[in-house]
Every structure is written in structure tokens, then in C-alpha cells.
């Protein structure tokens, strides 16, 4: 008797049941699906054991049977597909379809957004928090599940409280706001749950009943009152610096000069497992822009002139990099002990000053995060603010923050300004003058008074900065494996302290004898090859070589990839670079800078042709005569062993000191 197993199919066309033999081919299942969905494109059909995520194209399972795929009696499969393209009836209908498609794209800008790889990763994952079997309450078997061991949602409040997680991650917050999709509705048909904050007056007014601001205003176009509150989520959950040496190298300028420094954090984003659906920023290098440091601050230009080149260069890495934030120092030695630092930033003073909060909001507004969960296609920012400041024990530590979406919206609306007190933010006055019009709605904040009661207070004219901050954890990996293996080359924009020059690069390449390193197929010293590979794996060196004009953009791209490959110890890692014209040009100049090797004989070998064939023979004869005359003169000179005077006479005593030669 042949046993038939029941397979359930659920698609947007409904629920279906089919019977198959366990050895039936996957093509039989596909034919049944196409019978229930005549408009489906066979090449786009996917199956999954979950309503969302883990979709596998059926075309990749060709030749496998149901039993080999692990399908059992009663299993439920979720089927997805794309409909076939309708045939073109006429030129008019085609143009109409194009017009309607462009209108749909303009009405739904979030559909065309290209998100970061880490966002695409979390959208493809279930994201739930797994739990093990509870020995006290679970009474079921190993393959069963109950309320005490079933996975939790990534936004579960009890889990966050138990693990001391203050903020929801960005994707956990999206999951919390997104309604559950029914079996008959596709996820793409849902509206985005996020809408960026805006405290600006809507111009023109949606009602169209009055002149635009500042000539007129109504309840339809004016922003609502603002109540400052702690942000429940954060765009970035953790800041990880790939190696402690990166920070030490950045601190060298302050240690040698005593003035503060600023740098942009170059890195990438990765999933952060310690927070449900979390994201961390991994810093691989610190690029220092032009700046003027002072003992108590610094002057900086934003954006700086070299920013587009640096962003393009970072994106060429084997792991594409970008600017993930910035870091600055706020260090001041104590008067009693110059080896210890003042503890300036603490709960009784401030964490970020009001001016620093406005700068952070400006940077975050200029670097929004692409998001398919926002009506505008952009939401928030992942730019991190890191501060190197003194600790309570007198050491140095990193503190990381972001500012809230309310802070970014208030800066965008020109509503707030810095105050003399670093822990206090001022609210600007309303201005109705043409050209500088500013509408400031009512701003409130809540706090607990001395009696423990929750009190609401007007934020005008000022309020504490802490209402605009979002804490970000930070740390270093236990086993550092930075993308750039070297940080020894001179850092940019440190005039008088570390001056970069082409001659210095050529001299270091000559010391490594880089011009004698061939491709791996031609043999050579493996140790020299690895030393050279580590030497070029330096962000500051690569960034400087891009300004010399000796290496083209394409060759610089190859250099960047070779410097950031994971297996830098491989013998073939430099092969592509060694064939580029830019590298050959560098090696030509490096060979000229290298010290000349002593020849084994005084006369040139007859097997080597002269390199300078264009020089007339009489020039060589003149050089030879001058060298011969100089040699004869040097042969008659006797150096006094007492005063080192060069005596040319034939006597036995020195002409200067009179002592015997």
C-alpha cells in the first residue's frame, strides 16, 4: 500500500491541500501551485515554512524530492510569486502603463529605497528572542512549546528590563509599530509605520485659505505643541572600535601638543547580538579633517573640502566603509597631578554641552538613514558622537551618544540655541520678519519634583540638555581583527607634527625593497611580501596616495581592496596591485630614492647596455677626465691624524699644528 502525504499550500490566492508521494519531485508541487495561480511567473515562485522570511526559489530545488527536502505529512508551505507581465496591447497602453508606474513610484518613494546591508539582513530574519525549556513549568516533550519557552518578540518590555536594555533597537521598534500581516494581504501593501518629525510651518497651508507664513498661520499649518520625552528607541545600539591602537594613535596629537583634536569615524555596520535586532557601528579608522585645535576647544569646517573623495575611497574597501560618526577630545590635566585628567562630564555637570548637541543634530540631519519603513524613504541617522574625556579615577575613556529625533527636528526648525551653561539649552524667540521668519510652538518637559510627583513645566526660555540625548554603549573586541593592519604612517592634517610627503613614502618603500618583490608566480621572499602587504594596509597612507597624482582612481581602488582583504597573509594578495601602472610608477621613483648598491667590480660589465644612450660620448669622456683628476689630487693629499687638516705638500710635518704626519 502506497502512503500519500498531505501538503498544505497557502498563497495570496487562498489555502489549498494536495496529496503527494514522499518521493514525488519538487516539479509536481510546482505544477500544483501553478494550477491554483494561473497568473504566477514560474521562475519567481518561492516556498517557505514561515509567513515571512526564509523564502527559497523553487528553481533552485530542481531534481530534489519532497522527502529529501524534509517535508512531512501535514506540513504547511507559504508560497510567494510575482505575476506575469501583461502583453503590450498598443503603444498607447504601454505609455500609459509607464506613466502610471512612474506615478506609483513618486507616490511610494519608500519602495525605491536601497537600504544598508544590515537593514536588509534584519528584514530577512524573524528577529524573535529564543528561550530554552523551563525545567519548572514546561511539562511537554522536546519537540513541543508552551508559553514558558516560546520565543519572545524583539520588543518585549520584560526582557529589556531584565537585561538592563534602556532603548529598543531600530528594527525592534519597527516590528512593534508594524501590524501583523494577514494571510490574504502582502507585506508591501502595508503603509510605512514611521514618519519623520517636523516642527516647521507647512507652506503653503493645506487649506489654502490664507497667505503662507509669516503673512498668515492657522491650526492646519502650524506645528503642534512639543512635549520633550525620552526616546524609546535608538538608531544605533553599540559603538565598537576595532582596535585600541586606533584611539591611542588619535590621542598622540593631544599628548604631544595639549590641544584638542577631532576626527571622523570610518567604519561599517554589523548586527549586534546583545540587543534584540541590534546594530553596531564598527570603527576601522579615524580620519582627521583640517582643524585648528585649542587647549579648551577647536575650530572646524563642515562639510570639509575633501569629504567626497574620502567617502568614495572608503566605499572601495573589500568591506564597504562609510562615515559612521565622529570623535573629539575634551581632556584637561589636573593642577595637582599632571598625569591625571579632570572629571568634567558627569551627572552633576553635563554629558554633552548644548553647543555639541546642536552640532550633533546638524550632522545627523545631513546624514539620514535610508529606510523602507518611512513615508519619505529616510528616517533618523546612525551618526554617533564619541567623546574622549577624563574619568573619575583620572584616566581616559570613551563616551558615545546620539541626539533624539526631537533634537534634530528642533535644530532643523531653528528653534534652539546654545547657552553659556553647557547643560542648558535655550529656546529661541519667535520671529515674523520676512526672510528670517521662525515659528516656535509651545515646548514642555516633564520631571519629578522633590515630592516624587510627575510635573510638566514650560521649556521656555531654557531646559536641560539631557532631554535630547540617547545613550549608546561602546567597547573593544576581545580578539581584535581590524581591517587595516597598520596605523604607523603619518596622520593627515597635523602640520608641524606629522608632515606627509611623497619623498617619505618612497623612502619607506625603498627600505622595504618593494621594487624587488615580484608576483607570487615568480617566487620571491614570502616574508618581504607579507611585510609590504601590512605596510600598505594603512588608511592614512592610502588616503595620502590619493592626493599625490601618482596613482589613478582605478589603481587606487585596487590598492584599497588589496589593503583590506581578510587573508592578507596570502601570497597572491598583492598580485593584482603589482601589475598596475600606478604601482610600477611608484616603484620607479622608489628605486631612484634607494641607496645605490656597491658594484662587484670597478668596470661595468660588457653584457649591460648603457641606459643613457642619448648622451653624447664626449660628455662621458669629460666626466671620466674630471674623475681621474680628482682621484690624482686625492692621492697626493695627506690628512693630519691630530687636527685632520689636509696637507698637500711633501713635508713630514703638518702645516697647521706642526705635529708629524
Amino acid at each position: 500500500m502506497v502512503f500519500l502525504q498531505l501538503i498544505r499550500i497557502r498563497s495570496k490566492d487562498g489555502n489549498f491541500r494536495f496529496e503527494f508521494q514522499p518521493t514525488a519531485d519538487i516539479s509536481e508541487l510546482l505544477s500544483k501551485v501553478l494550477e491554483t495561480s494561473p497568473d504566477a511567473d514560474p521562475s519567481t515562485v518561492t516556498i517557505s515554512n514561515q509567513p515571512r522570511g526564509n523564502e527559497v526559489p523553487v528553481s533552485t530545488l530542481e531534481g530534489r524530492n519532497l522527502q529529501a527536502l524534509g517535508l512531512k505529512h501535514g506540513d504547511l508551505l507559504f508560497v510567494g510569486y510575482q505575476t506575469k507581465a501583461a502583453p503590450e496591447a498598443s503603444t498607447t497602453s504601454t505609455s500609459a502603463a509607464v506613466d502610471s508606474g512612474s506615478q506609483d513610484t513618486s507616490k511610494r518613494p519608500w519602495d525605491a529605497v536601497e537600504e544598508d546591508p544590515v537593514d536588509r539582513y534584519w528584514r530577512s530574519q524573524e528577529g524573535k528572542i529564543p528561550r530554552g525549556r523551563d525545567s519548572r513549568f514546561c511539562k511537554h516533550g522536546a519537540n513541543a512549546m508552551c508559553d514558558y519557552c516560546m520565543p519572545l518578540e524583539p520588543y518585549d518590555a520584560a526582557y529589556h528590563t531584565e537585561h538592563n536594555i534602556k532603548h529598543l533597537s531600530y528594527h525592534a521598534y519597527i516590528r512593534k509599530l508594524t501590524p501583523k500581516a494577514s494571510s490574504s494581504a502582502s507585506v508591501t501593501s502595508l503603509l510605512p509605520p514611521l514618519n519623520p518629525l517636523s516642527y516647521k510651518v507647512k507652506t503653503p497651508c493645506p487649506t489654502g485659505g490664507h497667505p503662507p507664513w509669516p503673512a498668515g498661520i492657522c491650526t492646519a499649518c502650524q506645528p503642534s505643541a512639543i512635549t520633550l520625552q525620552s526616546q524609546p528607541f535608538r538608531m544605533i545600539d553599540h559603538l565598537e572600535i576595532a582596535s585600541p591602537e586606533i584611539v591611542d594613535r588619535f590621542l598622540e596629537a593631544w599628548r604631544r601638543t595639549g590641544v584638542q583634536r577631532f576626527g571622523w569615524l570610518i567604519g561599517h555596520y554589523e548586527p549586534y547580538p546583545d540587543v534584540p535586532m541590534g546594530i553596531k557601528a564598527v570603527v576601522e579608522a579615524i580620519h582627521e579633517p583640517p582643524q585648528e585645535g585649542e587647549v579648551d576647544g577647536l575650530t572646524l569646517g563642515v562639510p570639509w573640502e575633501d569629504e567626497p573623495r574620502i567617502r568614495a575611497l572608503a566605499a572601495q574597501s573589500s568591506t564597504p566603509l562609510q562615515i559612521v560618526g565622529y570623535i573629539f577630545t575634551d581632556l584637561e590635566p589636573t593642577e595637582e597631578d599632571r598625569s591625571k585628567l579632570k572629571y568634567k562630564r558627569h551627572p552633576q555637570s553635563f554629558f554633552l554641552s548644548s553647543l555639541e548637541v546642536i552640532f550633533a543634530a546638524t550632522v545627523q540631519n545631513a546624514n539620514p538613514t535610508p529606510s523602507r519603513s518611512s513615508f519619505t524613504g529616510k528616517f533618523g541617522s546612525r551618526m554617533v558622537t564619541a567623546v574622549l574625556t577624563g574619568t573619575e579615577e583620572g584616566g581616559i575613556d570613551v563616551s558615545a551618544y546620539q541626539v533624539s529625533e526631537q533634537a534634530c527636528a528642533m535644530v532643523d526648525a531653528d528653534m534652539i540655541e546654545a547657552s553659556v551653561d553647557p547643560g542648558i539649552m535655550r529656546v529661541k524667540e519667535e520671529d515674523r520678519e520676512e526672510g528670517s521668519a521662525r515659528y516656535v510652538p509651545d515646548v514642555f518637559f516633564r520631571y519629578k519634583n522633590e515630592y516624587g510627583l510627575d510635573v510638566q513645566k514650560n521649556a521656555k526660555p531654557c531646559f536641560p540638555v539631557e532631554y535630547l540625548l540617547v545613550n549608546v554603549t561602546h567597547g573593544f573586541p576581545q580578539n581584535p581583527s581590524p581591517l587595516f593592519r597598520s596605523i604607523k604612517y603619518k596622520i593627515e592634517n597635523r602640520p608641524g607634527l606629522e608632515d606627509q610627503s611623497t619623498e617619505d613614502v618612497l623612502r619607506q618603500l625603498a627600505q622595504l625593497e618593494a621594487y624587488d618583490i615580484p608576483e607570487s608566480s615568480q617566487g620571491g621572499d614570502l616574508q618581504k611580501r607579507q611585510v609590504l602587504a601590512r605596510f600598505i594596509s594603512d588608511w592614512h597612507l592610502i588616503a595620502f596616495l590619493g592626493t599625490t597624482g601618482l596613482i589613478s582612481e582605478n589603481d587606487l581602488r585596487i590598492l584599497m581592496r588589496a589593503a583590506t582583504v581578510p587573508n592578507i597573509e596570502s601570497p597572491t594578495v598583492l598580485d593584482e596591485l603589482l601589475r598596475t601602472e600606478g604601482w610600477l610608477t611608484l616603484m620607479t621613483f622608489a628605486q631612484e630614492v634607494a641607496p645605490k648598491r656597491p658594484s662587484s667590480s670597478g668596470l661595468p660589465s660588457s653584457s649591460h647596455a648603457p641606459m643613457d644612450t642619448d648622451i653624447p660620448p664626449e660628455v662621458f669622456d669629460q666626466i671620466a677626465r674630471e674623475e681621474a683628476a680628482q682621484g690624482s689630487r686625492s692621492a697626493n693629499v695627506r690628512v693630519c691624524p691630530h687636527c685632520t687638516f689636509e696637507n698637500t705638500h711633501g713635508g713630514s710635518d703638518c702645516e697647521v699644528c706642526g705635529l708629524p704626519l
Side-chain angles (χ1 to χ4, degrees):
M1 179 178 179
V2 179
F3 175 75
L4 297 178
Q5 62 181 14
L6 179 69
I7 301 296
R8 296 176 294 163
I9 302 296
R10 179 176 294 175
S11 67
K12 54 187 176 182
D13 299 299
N15 298 324
F16 307 94
R17 296 184 177 187
F18 301 105
E19 290 184 344
F20 299 95
Q21 294 184 4
T23 57
D25 191 77
I26 190 66
S27 58
E28 298 183 23
L29 176 62
L30 178 61
S31 62
K32 292 293 185 181
V33 171
L34 296 178
E35 289 178 6
T36 61
S37 306
D39 295 335
D41 185 355
S43 62
T44 63
V45 176
T46 61
I47 60 174
S48 174
N49 60 346
Q50 298 178 3
R52 180 174 58 187
N54 296 338
E55 291 87 356
V56 178
V58 178
S59 58
T60 62
L61 305 175
E62 185 178 355
R64 305 179 64 178
N65 57 44
L66 303 183
Q67 188 175 14
L69 294 173
L71 297 178
K72 301 183 295 295
H73 179 69
D75 282 353
L76 174 63
L77 294 179
F78 297 88
V79 176
Y81 62 86
Q82 297 180 5
T83 57
K84 297 178 181 177
E88 298 183 2
S90 62
T91 306
T92 305
S93 62
T94 302
S95 61
V98 172
D99 293 340
S100 62
S102 62
Q103 292 175 1
D104 291 341
T105 303
S106 62
K107 293 180 181 179
R108 300 168 62 94
W110 57 88
D111 288 340
V113 170
E114 183 68 22
E115 292 186 312
D116 289 332
V118 68
D119 293 316
R120 297 197 296 268
Y121 169 80
W122 279 124
R123 289 191 185 277
S124 64
Q125 302 297 313
E126 187 179 22
K128 292 188 176 181
I129 306 170
R131 291 194 296 174
R133 177 186 172 89
D134 195 319
S135 58
R136 295 176 300 171
F137 300 105
C138 294
K139 306 300 182 184
H140 50 74
N143 295 329
M145 188 180 297
C146 67
D147 291 341
Y148 297 103
C149 60
M150 65 182 298
L152 299 175
E153 294 292 344
Y155 47 82
D156 185 77
Y159 179 87
H160 283 72
T161 303
E162 180 183 355
H163 292 79
N164 198 23
I165 302 174
K166 187 176 180 181
H167 301 276
L168 291 176
S169 66
Y170 167 62
H171 283 278
Y173 182 66
I174 292 177
R175 292 284 178 91
K176 183 178 181 179
L177 298 181
T178 304
K180 301 296 182 182
S182 63
S183 59
S184 60
S186 62
V187 179
T188 56
S189 65
L190 299 174
L191 293 176
L194 301 177
N195 198 7
L197 291 177
S198 177
Y199 298 144
K200 291 183 177 181
V201 178
K202 297 178 182 178
T203 53
C205 179
T207 62
H210 61 80
W213 169 263
I217 195 171
C218 68
T219 56
C221 60
Q222 71 180 18
S224 303
I226 304 170
T227 300
L228 299 176
Q229 54 188 353
S230 177
Q231 186 167 282
F233 69 96
R234 55 188 175 190
M235 297 296 296
I236 196 76
D237 301 286
H238 186 72
L239 176 67
E240 180 180 289
I241 301 177
S243 173
E245 286 75 15
I246 297 176
V247 176
D248 288 339
R249 191 75 174 87
F250 177 69
L251 282 172
E252 278 188 13
W254 174 82
R255 291 190 177 113
R256 296 170 62 181
T257 63
V259 299
Q260 310 303 328
R261 296 297 294 177
F262 177 96
W264 294 102
L265 303 177
I266 309 294
H268 57 95
Y269 299 109
E270 291 182 0
Y272 183 51
D274 292 351
V275 174
M277 304 189 77
I279 298 175
K280 67 178 179 179
V282 181
V283 178
E284 301 288 354
I286 299 177
H287 186 88
E288 300 183 17
Q291 56 192 285
E292 294 181 8
E294 302 290 343
V295 176
D296 57 349
L298 53 89
T299 304
L300 183 72
V302 177
W304 83 99
E305 183 180 356
D306 213 22
E307 180 178 359
R309 185 185 70 88
I310 294 301
R311 288 183 179 272
L313 178 63
Q316 303 302 326
S317 171
S318 59
T319 300
L321 304 177
Q322 56 184 307
I323 298 178
V324 299
Y326 61 91
I327 187 171
F328 63 92
T329 62
D330 183 16
L331 304 170
E332 183 180 353
T334 59
E335 297 178 358
E336 298 80 10
D337 187 354
R338 304 295 293 178
S339 64
K340 293 185 178 181
L341 300 172
K342 289 185 178 180
Y343 184 39
K344 301 171 61 176
R345 298 171 184 256
H346 51 81
Q348 283 68 44
S349 59
F350 66 97
F351 296 105
L352 283 185
S353 69
S354 54
L355 183 62
E356 292 164 356
V357 167
I358 293 177
F359 179 78
T362 304
V363 172
Q364 291 183 201
N365 284 334
N367 297 272
T369 300
S371 175
R372 300 187 63 184
S373 299
S374 172
F375 277 95
T376 61
K378 298 177 181 178
F379 184 81
S381 175
R382 293 203 175 105
M383 297 293 285
V384 182
T385 299
V387 187
L388 283 166
T389 186
T391 63
E392 191 172 2
E393 295 78 18
I396 301 178
D397 195 13
V398 181
S399 300
Y401 307 94
Q402 279 196 304
V403 295
S404 65
E405 297 303 306
Q406 287 185 324
C408 294
M410 295 175 79
V411 170
D412 187 46
D414 193 26
M415 290 173 49
I416 54 179
E417 62 183 355
S419 66
V420 177
D421 188 343
I424 297 297
M425 184 73 72
R426 283 181 48 85
V427 180
K428 291 184 177 181
E429 297 292 336
E430 186 173 311
D431 186 1
R432 289 180 175 266
E433 294 184 6
E434 194 71 30
S436 62
R438 179 195 313 113
Y439 179 79
V440 181
D442 292 331
V443 184
F444 302 95
F445 67 95
R446 308 185 71 89
Y447 70 99
K448 287 187 177 181
N449 61 10
E450 62 272 18
Y451 305 106
L453 300 178
D454 193 17
V455 180
Q456 178 172 289
K457 184 178 179 180
N458 195 328
K460 295 181 180 180
C462 58
F463 62 91
V465 170
E466 284 76 11
Y467 284 87
L468 306 180
L469 296 182
V470 177
N471 293 327
V472 178
T473 61
H474 67 278
F476 299 92
Q478 293 182 350
N479 300 310
S481 57
L483 203 60
F484 298 99
R485 277 70 171 187
S486 174
I487 52 173
K488 297 180 180 179
Y489 188 69
K490 299 177 180 179
I491 296 180
E492 59 282 340
N493 296 311
R494 291 185 176 181
L497 190 63
E498 298 183 23
D499 295 321
Q500 296 178 332
S501 65
T502 307
E503 293 77 9
D504 182 56
V505 176
L506 296 176
R507 184 169 57 255
Q508 295 188 48
L509 289 172
Q511 291 175 356
L512 298 175
E513 298 183 357
Y515 45 80
D516 284 340
I517 297 178
E519 297 182 26
S520 59
S521 59
Q522 302 176 11
D525 191 340
L526 179 60
Q527 185 177 2
K528 282 186 177 182
R529 187 186 306 275
Q530 293 177 352
V531 171
L532 177 61
R534 290 185 173 276
F535 172 75
I536 66 172
S537 183
D538 191 314
W539 164 262
H540 306 287
L541 173 63
I542 300 173
F544 170 70
L545 289 176
T547 64
T548 60
L550 297 176
I551 301 180
S552 64
E553 292 185 4
N554 186 49
D555 294 347
L556 194 64
R557 190 179 305 114
I558 297 174
L559 172 62
M560 188 67 174
R561 288 201 303 267
T564 56
V565 293
N567 55 338
I568 199 168
E569 304 294 339
S570 173
T572 61
V573 71
L574 297 177
D575 286 353
E576 187 180 6
L577 175 64
L578 297 179
R579 292 191 292 265
T580 60
E581 293 184 2
W583 183 259
L584 295 176
T585 303
L586 271 181
M587 294 304 99
T588 301
F589 288 116
Q591 197 166 10
E592 293 295 328
V593 173
K596 303 300 180 182
R597 299 178 180 177
S599 57
S600 58
S601 61
L603 298 176
S605 174
S606 59
S607 61
H608 292 80
M611 298 179 61
D612 301 316
T613 56
D614 295 334
I615 300 178
E618 55 270 15
V619 176
F620 287 105
D621 295 337
Q622 181 181 357
I623 295 175
R625 288 193 299 270
E626 291 178 354
E627 290 179 350
Q630 183 178 1
S632 62
R633 287 195 303 268
S634 61
N636 297 327
V637 173
R638 292 184 298 172
V639 179
C640 176
H642 308 285
C643 67
T644 68
F645 179 76
E646 295 181 353
N647 296 270
T648 57
H649 63 87
S652 61
D653 298 331
C654 177
E655 294 181 352
V656 174
C657 65
L659 296 176
L661 296 175

